[in-house]
Amino acid sequence: MTELIKRLMFTPSVSGREDKIREVIKNEASPYADEITTDPMGNLIVRKKGNGKKIMLCAHMDEIGFFVTFIDDSGNIRVSPVGGVNAISASYGEVVSENGTYGVIVPESSNDVPKWESVYIDIGAKTKKQAEKKVQIGDFFVPVPKFRKLQNQRYVGRPFDDRVGCAILLEALKEVKSDNDLYFVFSVQEEVGGRGSRPAAFGIAPDIGIVLDVTATGDKPGSKPMDVKLGGGCAIKIKDPSTICSPDLVSKMREIATEEGIKFQNEMLLFGGTDAASMQVAGKGVKVGAISIPSAYIHSSCEMIDMVDIKEAVKLTVALSNKL
Amino acid sequence: MEQIKKILKDLCDGFSVSGHELYGKEVIEKLAGGIFDEVRTDNLGNFILVKKSNKENAKKLLIDAHFDTVGMMVSQIKDGGFLKFVEVGGLDASVLPSTEVIIHGKEDVYGIITSTPPHLKVAGTGTPKLEDLMIDTGYSKERLEELVWVGAPVCFKNNVDFIYGNNVTSAGLDDKACLCAIFDAVSKMDKDNMAYNVYVTASAQEETGKCGPARASFEIEPDIAIITDVNFAKMEKGEDFESIEMGKGAGIDISSLVDRKLTRSIRELLDSKGINYQIVCEPTRTGTNNDALSISSFGVRTALMSIPLRSMHTPSETVNLGDIKSLSSILLAVATKEEL
Amino acid sequence: MRELLKKLSLAFGPSGCEDKVREIIENEIKDKLPKGATMTTDNTGNLIVHIPNEGKTKLMVNAHMDEVGFMVTGILENGMLKFGCVGGIDPVVLGSKRVIFESGVKGNVAVKPVHLLTKEEYKAGPRVKNMSIDIGATTKEEAEKITFVGDYFTFDSDYIEYGEGFVKCKALDDRLGCAIMCQVIKDIYEENIKSDYDLYFAFTCREEVGYSGAFGASMKIKPDYALVIESKAVGDIYGSPDEKKVSILGDGVIISFADRGAIYDRDFVRHIMSLCDKEKIKYQTNKYISGGNDSANIQKNASGAKVSVLSCASRYIHSQSDVIHLEDFENTYQTVLAVIKSAVPTKE
């Protein structure tokens, strides 16, 4: 599974430009799917048919990054962030464009926390003309993907958010044997505000929606108070500022996890949001819950995850698909 | 008025912290029993209550008041019987210390929100931070873990008090005062005279920004909708046009997000019947369910009405019973008038 | 088309009060509707013209009818009116401007004379709270004879063509889009254009206040593609750094790739660019990501749609003096026409 996660991570695709990652996931999913469609916004919808409940399982394909907005006469490239990129982490870091052009992102001043208006990308070009040969306005850059094993079962790199969610859905798709009507949705544009999952949920109109995404942890210095720990098992979301998960679904999820002996934690997140927020208000409304993967340093270039949590998340996803 | 008092008391005793509206199912079902033909719930947690007209092909009128209230949820269970909590909806931390609450766990658990006594306080520390406050339950951690769980909803311990000047004070009058007016009005609607099939949404998650009736409208597809919510009542004298006066009747809102023609014809109707109301202006957004409802489904023609309320989002919100009565009469008049 | 632009821009139509604009549009096109076409007004007040081509890809062309404006919120004892803004207006452009009510009553935005301002007040800048409307009344009773709480009013502005190809008026945002759509509908009728698309033209309400009529319209239409015609706030004035100018007046229609509310469909954007290349229509991209418009609302509504936005660069937007360049206006119109005449884009 680490191989799959790594492959997904090394296919850069920022919000609104998910073509490449979609192809990779599609190829991976197609042997196990009854039906695969791509909707107008680009969400990949993989269906496993059944007569039971209609359940939508959702992980987002997109990642944070930058759009090129302007190239000056000396070939310096101005960008606009896509999603909540951590400015401290991105500065003085390597970036790579959609067509494989490498560069560095640099703030104008090294004293302050950089503002996006005052950073630029340097790809080594001497003139505007030279730069334009490699990069067009509207192209995207991402901080260079990384993947490295540390102690225990812990890995550091980027973007784990939310390629781990995609990998978990793919693994679950392979294992699941269920009567329920399952829609595995790989959504677009989550990082810019859950724009993809809402139309996907509107089209599918599921009874239940379950999101797989990363969450923060409370066990690092300076982290906001929360019970979730890295390596403590997958987390069952109760609330974040964008969503109160349906209480009856949450207790059902806990029940099933307990029955199956799956290690889980209670998640009350004090910041951020997921696709669950937008799915909840799609059309007539959807009952939503979320399985979260604890991750430290989210949206930085050194996101950290623990493989133990991911394995538990796969088990829970499969169990919910079968038993809900 | 006795009926209004009774409905209001029942509603305010119902537990309905935002996101947990179905906890109050019994209350709604009991109250709706003799009044509505049908009660159902949906995925978001809305109650949809239907009363049909005897008229053939009657159009659909949606009347909304949100059932949910602000509150809290348990976020961590600490030693010594203390609970960390997060707010649900917007709370004012300055009124919380020493407030009594009920945690809705396996059983109801009583607790008090912590405060630092003035004797020990460093001068000038101002409004406490929400994350510094806790709920003191008096139990041991072990016992507490059996009784409540992380995520358990918490509401203000409530007393409904009818006070001087035909006023009532209670937690959750935002927006149960309006819901009360709706129940009162619908109970008086005669099926032979009703111009519309009336769909009432006692809706979910207004306080958390999810706009319940906008979900229900995909199913109901109403021809017109009336949203009722509380609005700030004037607290001081002066030329303050952002709030309305207590005891002068319900407000009719004018905004770029309500249907102009509908609002105008409702005002004409009320003028012709001599029913009192106040005018409230919300030039851009109204900050109520009106906004998201107006753009739900294929777009909905909406009108917005309000009841003035003091001390919003505290355990002691205050409204005037006369204003509830006024809203009830307005709704009754509207439901019997064709072609608005 | 300039005559129509003038007529539409001068019409009274703040968000939620678009009836007069809609009437002008209806009258303009009711005799020019192609065979089989329908014109309807929906719940929100959106005007939707459908030129059917059954079973074909649905294209929704969209422009909003409303403009920013004001509403009376209260009347003071001295006959002055307190007000709030409808839509986003910078108070800096307000002081001393002339305003006009739907009824024709005129007035101005009164401010405290500069002599009486404290240093702090002057430095803090103008605030709507400190302004009031002077309609000439001296008592509350007088004022109440000609105005009511809840009345709308807008900037009282002229349509003026100035310099080399510039035009200024209030509400060019987005009456320019309405004018272009009217013209395109007329062209389809007069030149008997057969489009490859099942065509919908949506003139929408309430865009400026965020809760746009485009939601309801797109829920009904369920378009495959949507093309939004807008004006885009730009900062191409002397001295502003190049990377913050966004776009330049006179450099052609803006074919953007994203704004703050939506990332447009890349294939659709490229398709439009290649049409412009082919037809030799002058275009530019946006060089800064800012603003938002109905594309966001249409894109993620219902089951989603592929969206793109064509815009006309506009200076001093949301004031009594929106400024655009007539050449850009013409280029925008040409581009819309080219899209409608073109074949549905296919995936490379």
Side-chain angles (χ1 to χ4, degrees), chain B residues 197-236:
Chain B
N197 290 331
V198 172
Y199 293 78
V200 170
T201 48
S203 58
Q205 298 218 37
E206 192 272 347
E207 300 292 359
T208 39
K210 291 294 160 80
C211 190
R215 312 281 69 80
S217 90
F218 277 88
E219 189 180 333
I220 299 168
E221 291 186 10
D223 294 288
I224 55 176
I226 294 174
I227 297 88
T228 63
D229 206 338
V230 296
N231 205 329
F232 305 107
K234 275 190 189 160
M235 306 276 273
E236 291 158 25

Coordinates of all heavy atoms in Angstrom, one line a residue, chain B residues 197-236:
Chain B
N197 N -51.6 24.7 0.9 CA -51.1 23.6 1.7 C -49.9 24.1 2.5 O -49.0 24.6 1.9 CB -50.7 22.4 0.9 CG -51.9 21.7 0.2 OD1 -53.0 21.8 0.8 ND2 -51.7 21.2 -0.9
V198 N -50.0 24.0 3.8 CA -48.9 24.6 4.6 C -47.9 23.6 5.0 O -48.2 22.5 5.6 CB -49.5 25.3 5.9 CG1 -48.4 25.8 6.8 CG2 -50.4 26.4 5.5
Y199 N -46.6 23.9 4.7 CA -45.5 23.1 5.1 C -44.7 23.8 6.1 O -44.1 24.9 5.8 CB -44.6 22.7 3.9 CG -45.3 21.8 2.9 CD1 -46.2 22.3 2.0 CD2 -45.0 20.4 2.9 CE1 -46.9 21.5 1.1 CE2 -45.6 19.6 1.9 CZ -46.5 20.1 1.1 OH -47.2 19.3 0.2
V200 N -44.6 23.4 7.3 CA -43.8 24.0 8.3 C -42.5 23.3 8.5 O -42.5 22.1 8.7 CB -44.5 24.1 9.7 CG1 -43.6 24.6 10.8 CG2 -45.7 25.0 9.5
T201 N -41.4 24.0 8.4 CA -40.1 23.4 8.8 C -39.6 23.9 10.1 O -39.4 25.1 10.3 CB -39.0 23.6 7.7 OG1 -39.0 25.0 7.4 CG2 -39.3 22.9 6.4
A202 N -39.6 23.0 11.1 CA -38.9 23.3 12.4 C -37.5 22.8 12.1 O -37.1 21.7 12.2 CB -39.5 22.5 13.5
S203 N -36.7 23.8 11.6 CA -35.5 23.4 10.8 C -34.2 23.2 11.7 O -34.1 23.7 12.8 CB -35.3 24.3 9.7 OG -35.1 25.6 10.2
A204 N -33.3 22.6 11.1 CA -32.0 22.2 11.7 C -30.9 23.1 11.3 O -30.9 23.7 10.2 CB -31.7 20.7 11.4
Q205 N -29.9 23.3 12.2 CA -28.6 23.8 11.9 C -28.6 25.2 11.3 O -27.8 25.6 10.5 CB -27.8 22.9 11.0 CG -27.6 21.5 11.6 CD -26.3 20.9 11.3 OE1 -25.3 21.6 11.2 NE2 -26.2 19.6 11.1
E206 N -29.5 26.1 11.8 CA -29.4 27.5 11.4 C -28.2 28.1 12.1 O -27.4 28.8 11.5 CB -30.7 28.2 11.8 CG -30.8 29.6 11.2 CD -30.1 30.8 12.0 OE1 -29.8 30.5 13.2 OE2 -30.0 31.9 11.4
E207 N -28.0 27.8 13.3 CA -26.9 28.4 14.1 C -25.5 28.0 13.6 O -24.6 28.6 14.0 CB -27.1 28.0 15.6 CG -28.4 28.5 16.3 CD -28.5 30.0 16.4 OE1 -27.5 30.7 16.0 OE2 -29.5 30.5 16.8
T208 N -25.5 26.9 12.9 CA -24.2 26.4 12.4 C -24.1 26.6 10.9 O -23.2 26.1 10.2 CB -24.0 25.0 12.8 OG1 -25.2 24.2 12.6 CG2 -23.5 24.8 14.2
G209 N -25.0 27.4 10.4 CA -24.8 27.9 9.0 C -25.3 26.9 7.9 O -24.9 27.1 6.7
K210 N -26.0 25.9 8.3 CA -26.4 24.9 7.2 C -27.8 25.1 6.6 O -28.1 24.4 5.7 CB -26.3 23.5 7.8 CG -24.8 23.1 8.1 CD -24.0 23.0 6.8 CE -22.5 23.1 7.0 NZ -21.9 21.9 7.5
C211 N -28.6 26.0 7.1 CA -29.9 26.3 6.6 C -30.7 25.1 6.2 O -30.8 24.7 5.1 CB -29.7 27.2 5.3 SG -31.3 27.9 4.8
G212 N -31.4 24.6 7.2 CA -32.2 23.4 7.1 C -33.3 23.6 6.0 O -33.4 22.7 5.1
P213 N -34.1 24.7 6.0 CA -35.2 24.7 5.0 C -34.7 24.7 3.6 O -35.5 24.3 2.7 CB -35.9 26.0 5.4 CG -34.9 26.8 6.1 CD -34.1 25.8 6.8
A214 N -33.5 25.1 3.3 CA -33.0 25.1 1.9 C -32.9 23.6 1.5 O -33.0 23.3 0.3 CB -31.6 25.8 1.8
R215 N -32.6 22.7 2.4 CA -32.6 21.3 2.0 C -34.0 20.8 1.8 O -34.3 20.1 0.8 CB -31.9 20.4 3.1 CG -30.6 21.0 3.6 CD -29.5 20.7 2.7 NE -29.5 21.4 1.4 CZ -29.1 22.7 1.3 NH1 -28.7 23.4 2.3 NH2 -29.1 23.2 0.1
A216 N -34.9 21.1 2.7 CA -36.3 20.7 2.6 C -37.0 21.2 1.4 O -37.8 20.6 0.8 CB -37.1 21.1 3.9
S217 N -36.5 22.4 0.9 CA -37.2 23.0 -0.2 C -37.0 22.2 -1.5 O -37.8 22.3 -2.4 CB -36.8 24.4 -0.4 OG -35.7 24.5 -1.3
F218 N -35.9 21.4 -1.6 CA -35.7 20.5 -2.7 C -36.8 19.5 -2.8 O -37.2 19.0 -3.9 CB -34.4 19.9 -2.7 CG -33.2 20.7 -3.2 CD1 -32.6 21.6 -2.3 CD2 -32.9 20.7 -4.5 CE1 -31.6 22.4 -2.8 CE2 -31.8 21.5 -4.9 CZ -31.2 22.3 -4.1
E219 N -37.3 19.1 -1.7 CA -38.4 18.1 -1.6 C -39.7 18.7 -1.7 O -40.6 18.2 -2.4 CB -38.2 17.4 -0.2 CG -39.0 16.2 0.0 CD -38.7 15.6 1.4 OE1 -37.6 15.9 1.9 OE2 -39.6 15.0 1.9
I220 N -39.9 19.8 -1.1 CA -41.3 20.5 -1.0 C -41.5 21.3 -2.3 O -42.7 21.3 -2.8 CB -41.4 21.4 0.2 CG1 -41.2 20.5 1.5 CG2 -42.7 22.1 0.3 CD1 -41.0 21.3 2.8
E221 N -40.5 21.9 -2.8 CA -40.7 22.9 -3.9 C -41.8 23.8 -3.7 O -42.8 23.8 -4.4 CB -40.8 22.1 -5.2 CG -39.6 21.4 -5.6 CD -39.6 20.8 -7.0 OE1 -40.6 21.1 -7.8 OE2 -38.7 20.1 -7.4
P222 N -41.7 24.7 -2.7 CA -42.8 25.6 -2.3 C -43.0 26.7 -3.3 O -42.1 27.1 -4.1 CB -42.3 26.2 -1.0 CG -40.8 26.2 -1.1 CD -40.5 24.9 -1.9
D223 N -44.3 27.2 -3.4 CA -44.5 28.3 -4.3 C -44.1 29.6 -3.6 O -43.6 30.5 -4.3 CB -46.0 28.4 -4.6 CG -46.4 27.1 -5.4 OD1 -46.1 27.1 -6.6 OD2 -47.1 26.2 -4.9
I224 N -44.4 29.7 -2.4 CA -43.8 30.9 -1.6 C -43.4 30.4 -0.2 O -43.8 29.3 0.2 CB -44.8 32.0 -1.4 CG1 -46.1 31.5 -0.8 CG2 -45.1 32.7 -2.7 CD1 -47.1 32.6 -0.5
A225 N -42.5 31.2 0.3 CA -42.0 30.8 1.7 C -41.9 32.0 2.6 O -41.6 33.1 2.1 CB -40.6 30.1 1.5
I226 N -42.2 31.7 3.8 CA -42.0 32.8 4.8 C -41.1 32.3 5.9 O -41.2 31.2 6.5 CB -43.4 33.1 5.5 CG1 -44.3 33.8 4.5 CG2 -43.2 34.1 6.7 CD1 -45.7 34.0 4.9
I227 N -40.0 33.0 6.1 CA -39.0 32.7 7.1 C -39.3 33.5 8.3 O -39.5 34.8 8.2 CB -37.6 32.9 6.6 CG1 -37.3 32.0 5.4 CG2 -36.5 32.6 7.6 CD1 -37.7 32.6 4.1
T228 N -39.3 32.9 9.5 CA -39.4 33.7 10.7 C -38.2 33.5 11.6 O -37.7 32.4 11.8 CB -40.7 33.3 11.5 OG1 -40.5 31.9 11.9 CG2 -41.9 33.4 10.6
D229 N -37.7 34.6 12.1 CA -36.5 34.5 13.0 C -36.6 35.7 13.9 O -37.2 36.7 13.7 CB -35.2 34.5 12.2 CG -34.1 33.7 12.9 OD1 -34.2 33.6 14.2 OD2 -33.2 33.3 12.3
V230 N -35.8 35.6 15.0 CA -35.7 36.7 15.9 C -34.8 37.8 15.4 O -33.9 37.5 14.6 CB -35.3 36.3 17.3 CG1 -36.3 35.3 17.9 CG2 -33.9 35.6 17.3
N231 N -35.0 39.0 15.8 CA -34.1 40.1 15.4 C -33.7 40.9 16.7 O -34.4 40.8 17.7 CB -34.8 41.0 14.4 CG -33.8 41.7 13.6 OD1 -32.7 42.1 14.0 ND2 -34.2 42.0 12.3
F232 N -32.7 41.7 16.6 CA -32.2 42.4 17.8 C -33.3 43.5 18.2 O -33.7 44.2 17.4 CB -30.9 43.2 17.5 CG -29.8 42.2 17.1 CD1 -29.4 42.2 15.7 CD2 -29.3 41.3 17.9 CE1 -28.5 41.3 15.3 CE2 -28.3 40.5 17.5 CZ -27.9 40.5 16.2
A233 N -33.6 43.4 19.5 CA -34.6 44.4 20.0 C -33.8 45.6 20.5 O -32.6 45.5 21.0 CB -35.4 43.8 21.1
K234 N -34.4 46.8 20.4 CA -33.7 48.0 20.9 C -33.4 47.9 22.4 O -34.3 47.5 23.1 CB -34.5 49.2 20.6 CG -34.3 49.7 19.2 CD -34.9 51.0 18.9 CE -34.8 51.3 17.4 NZ -35.6 52.2 16.9
M235 N -32.3 48.2 22.8 CA -31.9 48.1 24.2 C -31.8 49.5 24.8 O -32.1 49.7 26.0 CB -30.6 47.4 24.4 CG -30.5 46.0 23.8 SD -31.2 44.7 24.8 CE -29.8 44.3 25.8
E236 N -31.5 50.5 24.0 CA -31.3 51.8 24.5 C -32.1 52.8 23.5 O -32.4 52.4 22.4 CB -29.9 52.3 24.4 CG -29.0 51.6 25.4 CD -27.5 51.6 25.0 OE1 -27.1 52.6 24.3 OE2 -26.8 50.7 25.4

